């Protein structure tokens, strides 16, 4: 008997899934109208669902102890926990005029929660896909991504950009999704056969609604007001001298966004040319900019980055995702990722004995490439 049957006493009628992601480059650019280059990872959130005849929504998550939570459609209000993703989803769909009834849903995800790999967008998109199928909702994949962002912005209280739900909805395994977030256009970029990316989770947990992320976003908005532009995307490297006149830290925040946008464009051409060394240099520059200008790194991430510098086979390394914890991504030659990642993970765990590192330091490298 499946867990769904055990909990709800019936079988699901719909199943849907959506992946987590690793962002290769283009960090904190999406809410500035800039460029991003994420790719899906082979870790997914799965949702099983069955429509009910009344207005009750009953949900259970394997990742939250499996207890059943319940509410009535129309009575959604943020509670500050995981149920907000589900409530946000039904509240926004109803507000858009989509007709829903109640449903029973079971969620199980192997995207590490809070690991900088977009576990929440995977949940948003998986649930929206399940509801689209169950209620035959006339929604495109782009609509799902937009709704996913609104759930976070309007219900969860995290002022995130569109990158994560977009790649959860439109990403293809083995391809990076190059997105222009201002124009909302995208292109699938094949990962070169000779490249491999390794993801290592620091074990330090972030929560975007907790404040730091929203603070960064407000700083960018203030920089825009001071510079008289509506989005930092409007500025390029030729504007860096103007940016220098801003007070600190706005100067460094804006400098990160402007230089990072440029690095994404260069990374796309490096990927297309199969130039891994150029891509690796861009990873390293991006990391330095996140650490020094955007200030989203933490000591444990720096420990991982330093360990990755000690490995000659690593071509580039950077913090991926929103930061304040989470994961790093390394670039290496195809076939070497597992072994390199394992060595760095072991060194990180050993380091944990001497320094104050989080409890969960047994990290498993996750390798993604063309065939992942
Ligand atoms: C989080 C957000 C994204 C993006 C990244 C930083 O993952 O969900 O929208 O802003 O941080 O690049």
């Amino acid at each position: 008997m499946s867990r769904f049957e055990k909990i709800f006493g019936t079988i699901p009628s719909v199943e849907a899934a959506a992946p987590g992601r690793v962002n290769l480059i283009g960090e904190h650019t999406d809410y500035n109208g800039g460029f991003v280059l994420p790719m899906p990872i082979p870790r997914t959130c799965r949702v099983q669902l069955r429509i009910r005849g009344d207005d009750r929504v009953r949900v259970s998550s394997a990742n939250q102890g499996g207890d059943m939570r319940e509410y009535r459609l129309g009575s959604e209000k943020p509670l500050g926990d995981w149920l907000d993703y589900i409530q946000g989803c039904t509240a926004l769909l109803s507000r858009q005029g989509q007709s829903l009834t109640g449903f029973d849903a079971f969620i199980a995800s192997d995207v590490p929660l809070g690991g900088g790999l977009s576990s929440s967008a995977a949940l948003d998109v998986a649930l929206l896909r399940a509801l689209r199928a169950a209620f035959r909702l006339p929604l495109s994949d782009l609509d799902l991504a937009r709704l996913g962002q609104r759930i976070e912005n309007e219900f969860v209280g995290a002022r995130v950009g569109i990158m994560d739900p977009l790649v959860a909805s439109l990403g293809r395994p083995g391809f990076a999704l190059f997105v222009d977030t201002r124009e909302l256009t995208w292109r699938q970029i094949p990962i070169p056969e000779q490249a491999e990316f390794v993801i290592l989770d620091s074990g330090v947990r972030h929560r975007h609604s907790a404040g730091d992320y929203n603070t960064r976003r407000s700083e960018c908005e203030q920089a825009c007001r001071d510079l008289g532009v509506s989005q930092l995307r409007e500025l390029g490297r030729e504007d860096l001298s103007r940016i220098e006149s801003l007070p600190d830290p706005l100067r460094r925040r804006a400098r990160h966004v402007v230089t990072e946008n440029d690095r994404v464009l260069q990374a796309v051409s490096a990927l297309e040319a199969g130039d891994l060394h150029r891509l690796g240099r861009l990873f390293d520059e991006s990391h330095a900019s996140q650490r020094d200008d955007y200030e989203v790194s933490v000591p444990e991430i720096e420990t991982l980055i330093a360990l990755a510098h000690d490995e000659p086979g690593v071509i580039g390394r950077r913090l991926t995702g929103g930061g304040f914890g989470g994961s790093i991504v390394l670039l290496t030659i195809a076939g070497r990722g597992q072994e390199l990642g394992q060595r760095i993970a072991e060194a990180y765990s050993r380091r944990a004995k001497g320094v104050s590192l989080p409890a969960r330091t047994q990290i498993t490298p996750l390798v993604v490439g063309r065939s992942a």
Side-chain angles (χ1 to χ4, degrees):
M1 194 192 283
S2 72
R3 287 201 53 190
F4 189 99
E5 275 181 271
K6 278 194 198 127
I7 298 164
F8 300 114
T10 176
I11 55 163
S13 56
V14 167
E15 292 202 20
R21 62 100 187 94
V22 58
N23 189 19
L24 298 184
I25 197 162
E27 225 65 81
H28 294 275
T29 46
D30 62 350
Y31 52 83
N32 287 298
F35 305 110
V36 291
L37 191 65
M39 77 179 282
I41 56 172
R43 291 283 181 276
T44 46
C45 177
R46 295 176 188 283
V47 173
Q48 297 177 311
L49 189 141
R50 185 175 192 94
I51 292 180
R52 300 174 53 87
D54 57 18
D55 65 355
R56 290 166 73 197
V57 176
R58 300 192 303 171
V59 205
S60 166
S61 164
N63 306 88
Q64 307 287 345
D67 290 348
M68 185 156 64
R69 302 281 297 274
E70 184 173 338
Y71 65 93
R72 285 187 187 273
L73 289 177
S75 74
E76 294 90 344
K77 56 172 173 312
L79 299 169
D81 67 18
W82 67 273
L83 196 67
D84 289 355
Y85 294 97
I86 323 300
Q87 293 197 86
C89 186
T90 56
L92 285 175
L93 285 172
S94 308
R95 217 185 286 163
Q96 281 199 343
Q98 308 285 357
S99 59
L100 302 179
T101 62
F103 55 87
D104 291 334
F106 180 69
I107 301 162
S109 177
D110 63 3
V111 186
L113 304 189
L117 302 177
S118 186
S119 53
S120 52
L123 167 58
D124 296 334
V125 173
L127 182 64
L128 286 164
R129 280 181 171 161
L131 291 171
R132 174 171 70 179
F135 293 99
R136 300 183 196 285
L137 304 176
L139 296 170
S140 68
D141 291 342
L142 177 60
D143 294 333
L144 297 198
R146 284 193 162 119
L147 278 163
Q149 184 189 10
R150 288 183 58 198
I151 293 170
E152 309 268 350
N153 291 172
E154 296 172 28
F155 221 82
V156 179
R159 300 182 63 213
V160 295
I162 196 152
M163 167 169 75
D164 300 346
L166 202 61
V167 64
S169 186
L170 300 166
R172 286 166 57 186
F175 289 78
L177 189 72
F178 169 45
V179 184
D180 177 334
T181 63
R182 179 176 71 183
E183 306 304 322
L184 262 190
T185 52
W186 57 86
R187 197 148 57 84
Q188 304 279 356
I189 314 282
I191 299 301
E193 296 283 355
Q194 70 274 25
E196 203 160 76
F197 300 100
V198 186
I199 301 156
L200 290 165
D201 183 347
S202 70
V204 180
R205 292 296 169 247
H206 70 267
R207 198 161 161 256
H208 289 326
S209 47
D212 291 319
Y213 182 97
N214 291 351
T215 304
R216 289 294 176 280
R217 189 164 177 162
S218 309
E219 289 167 343
C220 290
E221 288 163 358
Q222 185 58 47
C224 285
R225 282 192 291 276
D226 290 3
L227 292 163
V229 294
S230 56
Q231 284 185 311
L232 291 177
R233 157 65 185 274
E234 290 161 34
L235 304 172
R237 281 196 186 264
E238 63 285 2
D239 298 297
L240 285 175
S241 55
R242 263 176 79 203
I243 289 173
E244 288 305 312
S245 67
L246 290 173
D248 205 40
L250 302 188
R251 174 194 331 156
R252 286 181 293 132
R253 306 298 187 248
R255 187 165 64 195
H256 166 75
V257 174
V258 167
T259 57
E260 184 78 351
N261 274 329
D262 184 49
R263 282 187 288 270
V264 178
L265 299 179
Q266 291 190 55
V268 170
S269 55
L271 266 183
E272 287 178 329
D275 186 344
L276 301 194
H277 286 278
R278 187 160 155 234
L279 185 61
R281 278 195 302 278
L282 292 163
F283 268 38
D284 289 342
E285 286 168 24
S286 169
H287 182 76
S289 179
Q290 293 190 89
R291 181 193 59 215
D292 302 333
D293 278 353
Y294 220 66
E295 293 183 289
V296 286
S297 189
V298 294
E300 293 83 353
I301 290 286
E302 291 308 312
T303 301
L304 274 174
I305 293 283
L307 291 168
H309 270 287
D310 294 343
E311 284 289 340
V314 177
I315 306 171
R317 61 243 97 192
R318 58 181 296 279
L319 164 64
T320 184
F324 306 106
S327 300
I328 66 164
V329 58
L330 315 175
L331 167 63
T332 184
I333 299 292
R336 302 215 40 202
Q338 191 59 41
E339 166 216 335
L340 278 174
Q342 199 56 47
R343 266 207 304 275
I344 297 169
E346 281 162 15
Y348 183 67
S349 305
R350 277 198 303 278
R351 194 70 74 93
K353 294 191 183 115
V355 223
S356 73
L357 286 177
R360 205 182 65 74
T361 42
Q362 289 305 324
I363 51 177
T364 321
L366 176 63
V367 180
V368 283
R370 183 77 180 97
S371 56

